[in-house]
């Protein structure tokens, strides 16, 4: 019934996952997209590989755009 509330909740959840991904990059610099996806979504990764990889890549893109992460030779690092 309250679309704005649902949208806000979904955006908050996405922000939390992006924050978690940033923390993971700080703890494990040089991670790959697959490695990050395997930690964040271990069961879902096997069932919906392309969807999960795209989701993690999207979070990494957000961090890169915010100048909080960078990629070198296919591995991601926090800035």
């Amino acid at each position: 019934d309250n679309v704005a509330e649902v949208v806000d909740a979904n955006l908050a959840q996405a922000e939390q996952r992006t924050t978690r991904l940033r923390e993971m990059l700080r703890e494990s610099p040089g991670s790959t997209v697959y490695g990050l996806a395997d930690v964040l979504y271990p069961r879902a990764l096997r069932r919906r590989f392309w969807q999960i990889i795209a989701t993690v890549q999207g979070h990494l893109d957000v961090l890169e755009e915010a100048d909080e992460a960078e990629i070198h030779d296919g591995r991601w690092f926090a800035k």
Side-chain angles (χ1 to χ4, degrees):
D1 292 330
N2 190 345
V3 174
E5 187 177 302
V6 172
V7 169
D8 289 343
N10 286 339
L11 290 173
Q13 186 178 53
E15 287 176 20
Q16 288 173 348
R17 288 187 177 137
T18 300
T19 297
R20 182 170 178 212
L21 195 57
R22 182 186 320 108
E23 292 167 1
M24 289 173 63
L25 290 176
R26 288 182 180 146
E27 293 171 5
S28 300
S31 297
T32 63
V33 174
Y34 181 85
L36 294 164
D38 194 36
V39 172
L40 284 171
Y41 307 99
R43 289 182 302 163
L45 181 62
R46 283 137 187 86
R47 289 179 286 147
R48 300 177 312 208
F49 179 82
W50 292 111
Q51 179 184 8
I52 299 303
I53 292 296
T55 297
V56 172
Q57 183 64 57
H59 290 293
L60 291 167
D61 291 345
V62 168
L63 291 171
E64 185 177 37
E65 182 67 25
D67 201 31
E68 296 182 35
E70 58 190 359
I71 187 170
H72 297 285
D73 296 325
R75 297 190 173 272
W76 286 90
F77 300 84
K79 283 187 155 184

